[in-house]
Amino acid sequence: MILYGLSTCVVCKRAQKEIENAGKDVQFRDIRAEPLSESELEALIVEYGDRLVDRKSPDWRGLSDWLKHSEADAQISAQPKLMVRPVIQDGDKYYLGWDDAVRSDLLGG
């Protein structure tokens, strides 16, 4: 299992801790330190489209008008912090965020 997020993200840390406490192996990948490859980002865009971009964040509001109107992949490539976090890959299945539904699916709770 791979958890894509930011090392400074509280939700990412909580998700990682809960997954590990459930006895599952999880590899954390900081998308700022190790950005997503084109193919990784493409797979996430196919799965989530524009939902992958956090448009409520101050970082998104600070984008240039041109970038705000660009595709999600261009926005995330330019500013990785814009990605909704965490994104969790479990085999060939992806999960977006860390809500009760994701927690239940991954941890069986």
Side-chain angles (χ1 to χ4, degrees):
M1 188 178 310
I2 302 171
L3 188 151
Y4 299 94
L6 298 175
S7 60
T8 56
C9 175
V10 174
V11 177
C12 294
K13 289 178 186 179
R14 185 179 328 127
Q16 182 178 7
K17 184 177 182 180
E18 288 183 38
I19 293 168
E20 288 172 346
N21 287 344
K24 298 184 181 255
D25 289 329
V26 62
Q27 173 190 350
F28 180 80
R29 176 147 160 221
D30 188 323
I31 58 169
R32 209 173 359 205
E34 189 181 341
L36 297 169
S37 70
E38 233 176 269
S39 62
E40 289 170 325
L41 184 53
E42 184 178 319
L44 294 176
I45 296 293
V46 166
E47 186 77 23
Y48 297 109
D50 286 343
R51 291 187 314 143
L52 194 60
V53 176
D54 181 3
R55 288 187 168 71
K56 295 180 232 162
S57 76
D59 294 304
W60 188 83
R61 287 191 296 272
L63 292 176
S64 68
D65 284 341
W66 179 84
L67 203 48
K68 280 183 185 175
H69 294 92
S70 296
E71 297 296 321
D73 59 340
Q75 293 175 10
I76 293 171
S77 292
Q79 191 69 265
K81 291 189 329 184
L82 293 175
M83 187 176 88
V84 172
R85 303 174 301 273
V87 172
I88 302 168
Q89 181 181 2
D90 187 15
D92 60 355
K93 187 163 178 157
Y94 291 97
Y95 299 90
L96 184 62
W98 188 246
D99 58 17
D100 290 340
V102 171
R103 189 178 290 108
S104 178
D105 262 8
L106 285 173
L107 305 180

